[in-house]
Each structure stands twice: as C-alpha cells, then as structure tokens.
Amino acid sequence: MTPPRDAYHHGDLRNALVASAVRLIEAGGPSAFSLREAAREVGVSANAAYRHFDDKSALITAVAADGFARLAERMRRAMASASAHRGGEPASIARFKAAGGAYVGFAVDHPEIFRAMFGECGAECRSATPENEETETSWTLLGQALDALVADGFLRPERRVGAELKVWTVVHGFASLSLDGLTAAPTQRERKAALEALLDFTVVGLCGDLPTAG
Amino acid sequence: MTPPRDAYHHGDLRNALVASAVRLIEAGGPSAFSLREAAREVGVSANAAYRHFDDKSALITAVAADGFARLAERMRRAMASASAHRGGEPASIARFKAAGGAYVGFAVDHPEIFRAMFGECGAECRSATPENEETETSWTLLGQALDALVADGFLRPERRVGAELKVWTVVHGFASLSLDGLTAAPTQRERKAALEALLDFTVVGLCGDLPTAG
DNA sequence: GCCTAATGTTGACACTGTGAACTTCCGCTG
DNA sequence: CAGCGGAAGTTCACAGTGTCAACATTAGGC
C-alpha cells in the first residue's frame, strides 16, 4: 500500500498517519496508541507529524472525523438497501430500523474507533458547526428516517419534535453498552435479537400510546 | 483531611490514593491523571502505590468501583425519596423515573468518574460476578422498579423480560450523549425537560402499544 | 525482644509528547 | 535556467510517565 519511502518528502504523510493511527487504535484502543509509533510505522521521524497536526489529540480528532464519515456512509447504504428488500414491513419502518442497525453495527465492528469518536478528542467533530457536514450527516439521516415515519402516518406530527434525540439515545446507549459490556459478551445472534426488540420498543415509544390505564 | 505524614507508614495509603485519584480524574479526566501525581499529592513515593495496586489501571479500576457504589447509593436514595413525595403520579412510575433520573444525574455531576467507570479500566467492575455486589446493585434497583411497574399493572408480565436492558440502554445513552455532547451543552433546565420526555417515551415503549395501524 | 513480612524508598530504564534549531527539496519568480 | 522562500522532515534535547529491582523501615506475632 505504501511504497518504500525513498524520497525525502513523503507525499501524503497526513493521510498515511491517519491510516496508521486507525490501525493502531483499532488494534489496541485509543490509549495504546502513540504518535511516535504511528510515525515509526509510516517510516518517518516522530516530529514530522507536527507539520500536519498540532497535537497528538489532533491526530485522534482526524481519526474520529474519518470514523464519523464512515458511519454516515454505512447508515446511508443500509437505509438504501432496506428500501430495496424489506420483509413485508412498511418501507419507512424498515429504513428506520436499518439506520439504527447500521449505527450499532458500526460501533460493534469498530469499537475502538467508536470510542475515539466519542472520547474527548472527538468532541470537535461532534459539535454541529455548519461546516461539519459529515458529522451532521448521521443525525440528518436519522431525521430523514423519522420524516418518512411521519409521511407514512406512523408518527404523529406533534410527536415529531425531539424524536431524533430519543432515537439517538437508544441507539447510542445500546452501542455503548454493547462495547462496554454490561452484558458479558453476548453472541452476535443474541445481540441482533436484543437490538431488534429494542428497535420495536423504540417505535412503540415514539408512535404508540399507553393503554387506557385503570 | 490527611494529617501531615510523619510516620514512615502511611496507615491508609490505599484509600488515600483512591481519593486522590478521584480528585485528579474529576478535575482533568482519566487521561490527565498520573500515578506519580497521585502519590505526590498523598506525600508518598511513586512506587509505594505498587504495594496496593498491580497497575496504574488497577487504581483506576478502584476509582470505578467506588463510582459504582456511589451511583447505586444515589439511585437508592432517589427511589426512596420518590416514594415519599411524588406529584400525583403512581408510586411505581415515580420510583422508576427517579431511578433513571439519578443515573443521569450522577453521570452529569461526575462526568469523568462516569467515563472511568465505563472505560476499559472499569470493565472488571461491570462484569456480573457473584461477588460484585455493588456493581450488580444499580441493575438490581432497576429490576425492583420494573417489578413494581408489573405489580401496579402498568407493565404486562410477558413484557417484563428484557426490560432492564431497554431501560438501561435509554438511561445510559442519554447520560453518554449528555457528557459527550452531541447536543452542545444544554442548560440544566433543558436537560431536565429532555430527560423527562425521554422517561415518558420509555414508559410508553415498555408498557404501551401501537395504535391500530391502518 | 527478635524475625518476618508488609510497607515505603531510591535509582534506573525505556518510552512518551513536544519545543527549538537545522536540513532538504518542491515550486515559483526573475 | 538560477536562485530563493517556505513547506516538509530531521535531529537533539527535556521533562514526565509507568514500572522493575534492590534496599530501608517498621508493625506485630512468636
């Protein structure tokens, strides 16, 4: 992938460093990652990194940003493919569940990256600055899914407000617990079942009503 | 608090180190905490800590364990006081909401400790070993609150199974997002409103049904 | 009252993030 | 095409860190 470096100038150090950092973090978590090691892996002196990043944490921030972009992409894909072959479910609900599933799926597949994204260094990526398109995207995708629920008549419009936060809460909570393991490492099968139940629960919470209590 | 150390032996180094670590972590997060600094603060050589902890991470684990104990205590208190003066709400629902509120409250009041509890070093505290009474407790308290919902007829028994995970997911998710700030630092007032809405949403999700879809 | 084991101490090592000063080389201007 | 300015990398240096090994001190049981 990286050709043996002969030239004095690397050519694409920034991206190479980010890629190396992703590998290292993916392997051992954000704590088991050092600037020097990343530089070593790329074949460059430790301080070269400072031409491209203010900080060690700036590099991690870049990793987080990359993670957010990949997360959004994954959600996009999942939603699109859910529209295609859903299993008898209304399209809007299928898409909604697909979005949630993709979020959790990303977290489970890339736990350490996910941690980095929501650690202190990822903070800048998460603030909804107008420029931060990528970050905004997963939030936006969720919004689209919810709008579709309204359009299909499942979610009453007056309940639409604040729905993103609720869904995000559920999905993010499940992802966090899956990683940080309140439940001791369930099988993928069990997790899938739990997630399905959770998404149903979410739909009821959003769209449903309490039975006449008495 | 700690009397000026004159004796060669500290007397209660273990606890002193944990307390110091709690302060340091609370001040600057788990990353801005060093074994040496904690030892310095206690007035003891760096390596003295190794008589009480295998590792730096073992110390953090102790901090996490302490956090879990305090969290459970806070939930216990909140639930008890909710039984006393609830505002026209059924007791079981009031207690349930109090438990959730206490969880989030702890996370918001002690963000860095909370992070430590759910970071890699806190992992041992979270596994439900039979001995790990304290850890189990907040889960157990949640279970009690759910049982009360069943007893009061709000939650149908066949929906009881798996309810802990759902509630935990919501509450933990909201706590995480509140700390890690998807939403840019809302006021305490806003957060309280959001939490209230979220708990209502949770009750509906657990106990409610979809309106006859058509 | 001594011996042992628990508790603390000192010294050392490899490693980290980062600043300062120096070198190499790409790309532009004359 | 010469040469130069600045971007991109390098080396040296420093303060801190976690941790190991060897040593010192002391509390408590025989």
Side-chain angles (χ1 to χ4, degrees):
Chain A
M1 190 145 282
T2 22
R5 200 171 80 86
D6 45 346
Y8 185 91
H9 287 84
H10 179 284
D12 194 19
L13 223 199
R14 199 199 137 94
N15 288 339
L17 282 174
V18 172
S20 177
V22 167
R23 273 198 305 278
L24 290 173
I25 290 180
E26 217 144 28
S31 67
F33 150 75
S34 78
L35 248 189
R36 287 174 118 107
E37 173 99 13
R40 228 173 285 139
E41 215 180 86
V42 174
V44 102
S45 95
N47 285 14
Y50 284 85
R51 294 289 150 188
H52 302 272
F53 302 97
D54 283 353
D55 246 354
K56 173 188 188 178
S57 71
L59 213 189
I60 301 184
T61 300
V63 170
D66 182 63
F68 275 109
R70 278 158 55 196
L71 167 62
E73 180 57 26
R74 179 162 178 162
M75 285 176 68
R76 221 184 326 263
R77 267 194 230 280
M79 287 171 72
S81 115
S83 308
H85 38 47
R86 54 204 151 93
E89 240 172 356
S92 57
I93 290 192
R95 278 170 64 88
F96 171 78
K97 288 186 177 179
Y103 191 95
V104 173
F106 180 88
V108 170
D109 286 349
H110 309 284
E112 306 299 349
I113 299 295
F114 187 82
R115 251 189 271 276
M117 288 161 61
F118 289 94
E120 41 189 342
C121 296
E124 307 167 34
C125 304
R126 297 188 302 264
S127 59
T129 67
E131 298 313 315
N132 241 341
E133 286 294 304
E134 300 311 298
T135 308
E136 206 51 357
T137 304
S138 43
W139 183 269
T140 302
L141 287 170
L142 218 56
Q144 291 173 12
L146 288 167
D147 287 339
L149 284 181
V150 173
D152 276 17
F154 288 103
L155 178 57
R156 292 207 304 277
E158 68 269 23
R159 292 238 212 140
R160 173 67 180 76
V161 54
E164 272 100 344
L165 182 57
K166 287 170 186 157
V167 175
W168 196 283
T169 294
V170 171
V171 168
H172 186 79
F174 189 71
S176 298
L177 288 185
S178 293
L179 302 196
D180 297 335
L182 239 311
T183 86
T187 69
Q188 188 173 351
R189 178 174 213 80
E190 288 171 323
R191 171 162 35 244
K192 201 153 191 174
L195 176 58
E196 191 67 25
L198 202 59
L199 290 174
D200 286 334
F201 153 86
T202 305
V203 172
V204 173
L206 280 180
C207 308
D209 290 294
L210 277 180
T212 52
Chain B
M1 188 145 280
T2 22
R5 198 169 81 85
D6 45 347
Y8 187 90
H9 287 84
H10 179 283
D12 194 18
L13 222 200
R14 199 200 139 94
N15 288 339
L17 281 175
V18 172
S20 178
V22 167
R23 272 197 307 278
L24 290 174
I25 290 180
E26 217 143 29
S31 67
F33 151 75
S34 77
L35 246 188
R36 286 174 117 109
E37 173 100 12
R40 228 174 285 138
E41 216 180 84
V42 174
V44 101
S45 96
N47 285 7
Y50 283 86
R51 296 291 151 187
H52 302 271
F53 302 96
D54 282 352
D55 246 359
K56 174 188 188 177
S57 71
L59 213 189
I60 301 184
T61 299
V63 169
D66 183 61
F68 275 109
R70 278 158 58 197
L71 167 61
E73 180 57 27
R74 180 163 176 162
M75 287 176 66
R76 221 185 323 265
R77 267 194 229 280
M79 288 172 70
S81 115
S83 307
H85 40 47
R86 54 204 151 95
E89 241 171 358
S92 58
I93 290 192
R95 277 170 66 88
F96 171 77
K97 288 187 177 179
Y103 190 95
V104 174
F106 180 88
V108 170
D109 287 349
H110 308 285
E112 305 300 350
I113 299 297
F114 187 81
R115 251 188 272 275
M117 287 160 60
F118 289 93
E120 39 189 345
C121 297
E124 308 168 32
C125 305
R126 298 189 302 266
S127 57
T129 68
E131 298 311 317
N132 242 341
E133 285 294 304
E134 300 310 297
T135 308
E136 205 51 357
T137 304
S138 42
W139 182 269
T140 301
L141 287 170
L142 218 56
Q144 291 172 12
L146 288 167
D147 287 340
L149 284 181
V150 173
D152 276 18
F154 287 102
L155 177 57
R156 292 207 306 278
E158 68 269 25
R159 292 240 214 139
R160 174 64 180 79
V161 55
E164 272 101 343
L165 181 58
K166 288 172 185 158
V167 174
W168 197 282
T169 293
V170 171
V171 166
H172 187 78
F174 189 71
S176 298
L177 288 185
S178 294
L179 302 196
D180 296 335
L182 242 308
T183 86
T187 68
Q188 189 173 352
R189 177 174 215 80
E190 288 170 322
R191 173 166 27 250
K192 202 154 190 173
L195 177 57
E196 191 67 25
L198 202 60
L199 291 174
D200 286 334
F201 153 86
T202 305
V203 172
V204 173
L206 280 179
C207 308
D209 289 295
L210 277 180
T212 52

